[in-house]
Amino acid sequence: LCCVSVTLLIFSCSRAKDVTMPAKLPVSFFSTRSAVVDLFRGQLDYAEQLRQDSEIVLYFFYAPWCGQSIAAREEIEHVASRLSDQVLFVAINCWWNQGKCRKQKHFFYFPVIHLYHRSFGPIEYKGPMSAVYIEKFVRRVMTPLLYISSRSKLLDFLSNYEPGVVGYFEFNASPQPPGYLTFFTSALHSLKKDYLGTIRFGVVTDKRVAREISLEHSGSVYLHRHANTSLIYPKDIMNYTAENICKWALENREMLIRWLRPHGGKSLLLNNELKKGPALLIFIPYNPLAESHPLLDEITKVALEYHKCNKSQAAEPDLQHVGDTDSPAFDSSVTDAHLKHSEPFSITKYPCCNTVVLPQWHSISRTHNVCELCVNQTLGVKPNKVHVPHCNFLEIEAALDSFYLQEHTFFQVISNTIECSNFLSFYSPFSYYTACCRTVNRHFLSFISSEKTIFQTPKVAFSSHGKKDNAQFSIPHIEDRNCFIPDLNISSMNITGLSCRTNKTLNLYLLDSNLFWIYAERLGASRSTHLKEFAAIVDMKEEVHYVLDQNQSLVGPTLENFIKNFSVLYSPLKRHLVDDPSAPFQEQRVLTEVTTHTFHETVFSSEKNVLLLYYAQWCGFCASLNHIFIQLARLLPPDNFTVARIDVTRNDLPWEFMTDRLPTILFFPHQRKAQSVKFPEDLSVNLPNLLKFILHHSSLSASEPCTKECRHKESVLQQGHISHLEREIQKLRSEISALHQAHDQLEAQLSEARRDEQRLQQQKHTLEKQHKTLQLHSEHLQATYDQKNQELLEMAEKLQELADASENLLKENALLRILVAAREGKLQSRDEIKESLQSEQTLSEDNDVSPSTATAMLEEKRIDNIDTIETEHSSGNRTE
């Protein structure tokens, strides 16, 4: 029975067919009361017919399942409700497989917005899916040219921070001057190539207004630039076409300040822009449809002053731009005085120089020694003659390495004079370097006395090249660019043209805080603030960023001071360290979670020995060490030891405490936090090795003097550690014995499980053999079944034939019975006739013998003929 069931199941499954459900018919995506024409069946041909009858058309290609399409639906409806009388809005379902849009268009993302200006298009919109931005872009497509009718409008047009292109055309001679349509099309081309619309196009028809920008002939095109010479389109060199005008404007435009609008997906926009150099990111709330932007005008004024390197340009028209009349002139005397004051440390004279700070000298004085390391290709050249035309990073790196290898040269007696010396490169025998060192007194750093810097209390865990620091013989290392010159008057520096007077030029970027505030929060902006204004300087090359204090209002003077503080040689700006607010300090946890704000308090201010683990959430090896550190934290006395960890991907630390390898373990001994020790990389991270490492480095170093009282305290402390460890060892022994018992029980269970497994394996093999036998038997039964079924069919056919023959025989039998009855009747009548004839013959024997005999013979012959005829008739019926 089981075999038959399995056979029937296999037979039924083999005959099953795939069932495909047809796609559901699409439904309307927009409401029927919306101003958007919704072609939810993808009727692209009908959309083309609608476009022929309208001047401005917006196509919204969507997919009904797409979340971004659903989110943008409300924004499109809002824009359509405001511009439906001027623009035709058409939404097309480009996902339904039977629609023409799906067959003809092949989009890789949704939604997609295309705009058409009469026959020109499509112009794809790639900006934020916000109603105000979409409406602004649609209005730019509607009116790509701004009509400039007076001198005041021309001044307003040219004063904008966006690049401006002005065309002059005389409409007196003809309704459409030559070249006007080409200029109009070039404005549409600029919107097609740059969706942000950073180039503004205007048209002038008044000859007097055109002369203000040196345009004399109709059809001339003028590109206005603030910091560089403005340009006029060279008709004699380039063909006067829309593509050429647009290309010329895009290649020669001046970008003083640029908007960044990351679309939120996988994009390299921010990465590519930040790689260009230090960037000032300014987050402000922005409404594109607003008529005035006071904060933006103030930022634009700062950007214009920052990039205005030459105010006396020959080809620049005499126009009073925004902020020019209020900008102070460049004070050369102040700058000369500043350069003269900072001459010993001026990088402008030595383009290939790097400032190096020696750590605090405990054995000599409580001061700092500052050295300036410069590349010098000739031995014996004075520092003021050092000149290298092309600064190379590899040369500076080689100079720093040689400086580290020959640090004994710079351990000299402190003096107030600047001492310079040349030394040979470690990598090349033909390259020499110059180092000029001076002593900066302690009182010069009073402006940073409130901050606990690394120089006041050395807490260095690593040198710049991964070498272990020593308390007495510290290897020089690069520090953050703090201000070591107290008399450097930053307020005397002029912002005008500062981008051309420093090698730390900033690229200025604007971001809408209503859309991209998450980036500001990642840079350090407060999440609880109501005023979303924020500014930060990001330097990817130096891997630092600085944040403008959010307690200060974001105005022009504040931005100027922020830029000037970054641009000076010894910048007073302090590197901002990003903290992870989601990991608060919890004392009840076995492992103390350290953040940026709690790092100093947990590690340096604590009176305990601290073991710190550097980890990351994505680090699998780090996660495998958690149970070891939990056991270690339970073993060590909590009054004397702290086991902590820090997620370095979410918490920034000073460079000297960062690491480039995960996991990394550092140990900070009590009262000797500056002598932190790294766990050896060649040792496996386990509980015994960690205990040996901690016990070895927690004792006082033999190089430090220790009094009798100190030794007594140390012995008491060690005795307490020993007693605590003995108690822990007893606990571990009891746990080990319990583990041994559990191990034995587990071994017994495992052996029994192995036996069960072997038994199950044997049963499995037996069942597999039985299954194969049953499968063969099933196949044999199936063949027998087919054979018997065929035989039964043949027998049924034969039985049917026999049934038909039997029915015919029954009919014939009935006829024969009738014939037999008739024959018997006839025989009986014949006997009666014979008897009568015999009687008659007896009576007439005497009368006439001859005639009676003849008569009898005739009658007998007649009867015989009748019998013969009946017999033949019955045989014929039977044959039929």
Side-chain angles (χ1 to χ4, degrees):
L1 182 61
C2 294
C3 297
V4 174
S5 302
V6 171
T7 305
L8 293 176
L9 180 62
I10 295 174
F11 181 72
S12 61
C13 291
S14 63
R15 298 186 61 184
K17 297 182 180 179
D18 295 335
V19 179
T20 303
M21 180 180 293
K24 294 182 180 180
L25 292 176
V27 296
S28 179
F29 191 68
F30 288 84
S31 63
T32 56
R33 296 171 297 185
S34 174
V36 181
V37 179
D38 189 6
L39 305 180
F40 55 89
R41 294 191 178 182
Q43 304 100 310
L44 191 61
D45 50 352
Y46 182 64
E48 294 294 334
Q49 295 179 7
L50 295 176
R51 187 169 67 86
Q52 302 299 329
D53 302 332
S54 303
E55 183 177 3
I56 308 295
V57 180
L58 183 144
Y59 283 171
F60 178 73
F61 299 98
Y62 67 89
W65 53 264
C66 176
Q68 295 181 357
S69 301
I70 297 173
R73 174 174 55 188
E74 184 177 355
E75 308 294 330
I76 294 294
E77 287 183 339
H78 180 73
V79 178
S81 64
R82 292 172 55 89
L83 300 177
S84 59
D85 56 339
Q86 306 174 59
V87 180
L88 175 63
F89 289 83
V90 180
I92 307 173
N93 182 0
C94 214
W95 184 255
W96 194 43
N97 56 355
Q98 300 181 19
K100 288 190 175 181
C101 182
R102 176 70 178 273
K103 297 177 181 178
Q104 298 181 12
K105 301 288 184 180
H106 303 282
F107 296 118
F108 296 97
Y109 56 89
F110 290 100
V112 178
I113 297 178
H114 286 172
L115 283 98
Y116 290 86
H117 187 104
R118 295 179 182 173
S119 61
F120 185 87
I123 305 173
E124 184 176 358
Y125 173 74
K126 299 180 181 179
M129 289 298 169
S130 176
V132 290
Y133 281 94
I134 297 174
E135 182 177 350
K136 178 67 174 179
F137 187 78
V138 173
R139 291 185 182 275
R140 291 289 288 266
V141 175
M142 292 168 55
T143 56
L145 294 181
L146 178 64
Y147 176 61
I148 303 173
S149 58
S150 61
R151 185 175 182 273
S152 60
K153 291 186 178 181
L154 177 64
L155 293 177
D156 294 338
F157 182 82
L158 298 180
S159 300
N160 197 284
Y161 69 96
E162 295 179 340
V165 178
V166 181
Y168 168 54
F169 300 93
E170 294 182 353
F171 282 81
N172 298 327
S174 62
Q176 191 176 93
Y180 174 76
L181 184 59
T182 302
F183 185 70
F184 184 88
T185 309
S186 66
L188 293 175
H189 270 287
S190 69
L191 293 174
K192 186 175 182 179
K193 293 184 178 181
D194 191 352
Y195 72 95
L196 294 176
T198 52
I199 299 182
R200 304 166 71 244
F201 283 77
V203 60
V204 175
T205 59
D206 192 347
K207 183 179 294 185
R208 292 174 298 177
V209 178
R211 287 176 180 174
E212 297 288 339
I213 51 177
S214 303
L215 296 181
E216 298 290 342
H217 305 286
S218 178
S220 301
V221 179
Y222 169 81
L223 174 63
H224 180 69
R225 300 193 295 184
H226 296 276
N228 298 293
T229 304
S230 300
L231 303 176
I232 296 178
Y233 183 76
K235 291 183 179 180
D236 52 346
I237 300 176
M238 302 177 63
N239 293 331
Y240 194 81
T241 61
E243 291 82 0
N244 287 343
I245 294 175
C246 179
K247 181 180 178 181
W248 171 76
L250 290 173
E251 290 178 352
N252 297 281
R253 62 180 173 177
E254 187 180 60
M255 299 295 294
L256 301 180
I257 190 167
R258 180 180 173 183
W259 281 96
L260 289 181
R261 297 189 178 101
H263 59 76
K266 294 181 179 179
S267 173
L268 296 177
L269 175 63
L270 287 176
N271 181 67
N272 295 336
E273 294 297 330
L274 295 177
K275 279 185 177 180
K276 296 178 181 179
L280 174 59
L281 304 178
I282 304 174
F283 296 83
I284 59 173
Y286 180 70
N287 183 10
L289 300 178
E291 296 182 357
S292 61
H293 303 89
L295 182 56
L296 181 59
D297 295 338
E298 205 163 350
I299 296 172
T300 303
K301 179 180 176 181
V302 175
L304 291 174
E305 291 296 324
Y306 181 69
H307 289 284
K308 190 178 295 183
C309 300
N310 185 10
K311 296 183 65 177
S312 59
Q313 299 178 3
E316 185 72 17
D318 187 15
L319 297 174
Q320 301 297 325
H321 302 301
V322 176
D324 287 353
T325 56
D326 300 331
S327 300
F330 181 77
D331 190 359
S332 60
S333 60
V334 175
T335 306
D336 294 341
H338 160 63
L339 293 176
K340 183 177 179 180
H341 176 78
S342 59
E343 184 175 358
F345 297 90
S346 176
I347 291 182
T348 58
K349 282 192 175 184
Y350 314 125
C352 277
C353 298
N354 200 313
T355 303
V356 179
V357 179
L358 300 181
Q360 184 177 354
W361 290 2
H362 296 279
S363 59
I364 300 178
S365 175
R366 307 290 292 182
T367 60
H368 300 85
N369 199 10
V370 180
C371 298
E372 185 170 354
L373 182 64
C374 300
V375 178
N376 185 8
Q377 298 295 335
T378 307
L379 181 62
V381 177
K382 300 287 181 131
N384 56 2
K385 298 290 183 69
V386 172
H387 176 72
V388 178
H390 300 287
C391 187
N392 193 334
F393 173 78
L394 297 178
E395 293 179 353
I396 283 292
E397 186 70 15
L400 291 175
D401 289 344
S402 302
F403 183 75
Y404 293 138
L405 295 172
Q406 302 185 19
E407 70 274 5
H408 60 275
T409 308
F410 306 96
F411 286 92
Q412 301 174 4
V413 180
I414 294 178
S415 62
N416 294 326
T417 60
I418 300 175
E419 299 180 2
C420 300
S421 61
N422 296 311
F423 56 95
L424 182 66
S425 171
F426 178 73
Y427 297 99
S428 174
F430 303 102
S431 299
Y432 293 86
Y433 305 105
T434 300
C436 295
C437 301
R438 67 173 291 185
T439 301
V440 180
N441 293 332
R442 188 71 163 176
H443 65 274
F444 286 160
L445 303 177
S446 59
F447 63 95
I448 58 172
S449 59
S450 60
E451 300 291 337
K452 296 182 179 181
T453 62
I454 190 62
F455 308 111
Q456 294 173 356
T457 306
K459 301 168 184 177
V460 182
F462 301 100
S463 64
S464 297
H465 285 248
K467 302 176 183 179
K468 192 184 300 183
D469 291 342
N470 191 291
Q472 294 181 346
F473 304 101
S474 299
I475 297 176
H477 57 284
I478 302 175
E479 299 292 344
D480 294 337
R481 288 189 175 93
N482 294 315
C483 183
F484 294 103
I485 306 301
D487 358 357
L488 185 62
N489 190 2
I490 297 176
S491 61
S492 64
M493 181 183 295
N494 199 339
I495 192 68
T496 306
L498 184 58
S499 64
C500 302
R501 294 186 284 110
T502 178
N503 60 350
K504 300 165 67 177
T505 305
L506 287 168
N507 299 317
L508 307 182
Y509 299 99
L510 291 171
L511 291 96
D512 189 355
S513 58
N514 295 325
L515 301 175
F516 309 110
W517 187 248
I518 185 174
Y519 296 100
E521 292 179 352
R522 185 63 185 91
L523 290 172
S526 175
R527 299 184 179 182
S528 59
T529 181
H530 299 286
L531 184 62
K532 293 186 176 182
E533 296 178 358
F534 180 74
I537 295 176
V538 180
D539 191 349
M540 286 189 63
K541 183 178 180 181
E542 299 294 334
E543 297 185 4
V544 295
H545 77 279
Y546 310 99
V547 172
L548 181 64
D549 188 5
Q550 286 188 271
N551 295 325
Q552 303 180 16
S553 58
L554 191 62
V555 293
T558 306
L559 277 178
E560 290 182 3
N561 291 332
F562 190 43
I563 295 173
K564 289 189 290 185
N565 288 334
F566 174 78
S567 302
V568 295
L569 178 59
Y570 300 103
S571 174
L573 297 178
K574 188 177 180 181
R575 173 185 171 228
H576 181 76
L577 303 178
V578 178
D579 189 18
D580 183 15
S582 62
F585 182 75
Q586 299 179 1
E587 296 182 354
Q588 286 79 11
R589 299 182 60 176
V590 177
L591 294 181
T592 303
E593 194 72 28
V594 180
T595 62
T596 302
H597 291 164
T598 62
F599 176 75
H600 189 275
E601 177 184 356
T602 305
V603 176
F604 293 103
S605 299
S606 174
E607 298 294 332
K608 303 177 183 179
N609 299 287
V610 179
L611 184 70
L612 184 62
L613 169 66
Y614 290 78
Y615 79 99
Q617 294 290 342
W618 49 262
C619 176
F621 295 102
C622 305
S624 64
L625 301 179
N626 286 336
H627 71 284
I628 298 177
F629 277 80
I630 292 174
Q631 293 180 11
L632 182 66
R634 291 174 176 173
L635 286 176
L636 297 175
D639 296 336
N640 300 323
F641 289 91
T642 298
V643 180
R645 66 175 187 172
I646 182 171
D647 186 355
V648 292
T649 59
R650 298 185 177 182
N651 298 274
D652 292 340
L653 295 178
W655 295 123
E656 56 270 16
F657 301 110
M658 290 300 291
T659 180
D660 56 354
R661 182 180 181 274
L662 294 177
T664 295
I665 303 171
L666 284 185
F667 181 66
F668 297 86
H670 173 50
Q671 294 181 351
R672 292 176 293 111
K673 298 298 179 67
Q675 299 180 8
S676 58
V677 186
K678 181 181 178 182
F679 186 80
E681 297 179 1
D682 55 347
L683 291 179
S684 60
V685 183
N686 51 42
L687 194 59
N689 289 340
L690 286 173
L691 284 173
K692 292 178 183 178
F693 173 73
I694 293 173
L695 293 177
H696 176 71
H697 294 284
S698 61
S699 59
L700 289 175
S701 176
S703 60
E704 293 187 1
C706 186
T707 61
K708 184 177 181 181
E709 183 180 359
C710 175
R711 286 193 295 270
H712 177 69
K713 290 182 179 179
E714 183 67 20
S715 63
V716 172
L717 182 62
Q718 292 294 337
Q719 189 64 32
H721 291 173
I722 292 171
S723 60
H724 177 75
L725 289 176
E726 286 178 350
R727 290 192 298 270
E728 294 298 329
I729 288 171
Q730 291 296 332
K731 292 181 182 179
L732 288 175
R733 286 176 178 172
S734 60
E735 291 179 359
I736 289 171
S737 61
L739 288 175
H740 278 301
Q741 295 177 0
H743 179 266
D744 296 337
Q745 295 178 0
L746 185 60
E747 283 291 337
Q749 294 176 0
L750 286 175
S751 61
E752 185 178 357
R754 291 192 187 97
R755 289 192 297 270
D756 293 340
E757 183 181 4
Q758 292 177 358
R759 186 173 63 256
L760 291 175
Q761 288 291 338
Q762 293 176 357
Q763 293 178 0
K764 179 182 177 182
H765 292 313
T766 305
L767 290 175
E768 287 178 353
K769 291 180 180 179
Q770 292 177 358
H771 176 71
K772 290 180 180 179
T773 305
L774 290 175
Q775 190 172 3
L776 293 174
H777 187 61
S778 174
E779 293 176 356
H780 178 69
L781 288 177
Q782 182 67 29
T784 305
Y785 170 77
D786 295 338
Q787 182 180 358
K788 295 298 182 182
N789 191 19
Q790 186 67 25
E791 292 178 355
L792 286 174
L793 290 176
E794 294 176 356
M795 292 177 64
E797 293 177 356
K798 293 180 179 180
L799 288 174
Q800 186 65 33
E801 293 177 357
L802 290 174
D804 296 339
S806 176
E807 187 177 358
N808 293 330
L809 290 175
L810 289 174
K811 292 180 180 179
E812 292 178 358
N813 188 20
L815 291 175
L816 289 174
R817 287 180 180 179
I818 295 171
L819 290 176
V820 169
R823 184 70 175 173
E824 289 177 352
K826 288 177 181 181
L827 290 175
Q828 186 177 2
S829 63
R830 184 179 175 181
D831 293 336
E832 292 177 356
I833 290 171
K834 284 182 178 182
E835 290 178 357
S836 64
L837 287 177
Q838 288 177 1
S839 62
E840 288 179 0
Q841 187 178 6
T842 305
L843 293 176
S844 60
E845 282 179 0
D846 299 329
N847 297 326
D848 193 2
V849 178
S850 299
S852 60
T853 304
T855 303
M857 291 176 63
L858 289 173
E859 185 67 23
E860 185 177 358
K861 186 176 181 180
R862 187 178 58 85
I863 293 171
D864 293 335
N865 289 337
I866 291 172
D867 295 339
T868 304
I869 291 170
E870 290 178 357
T871 305
E872 289 177 357
H873 179 71
S874 63
S875 299
N877 291 334
R878 186 169 60 247
T879 304
E880 288 177 1

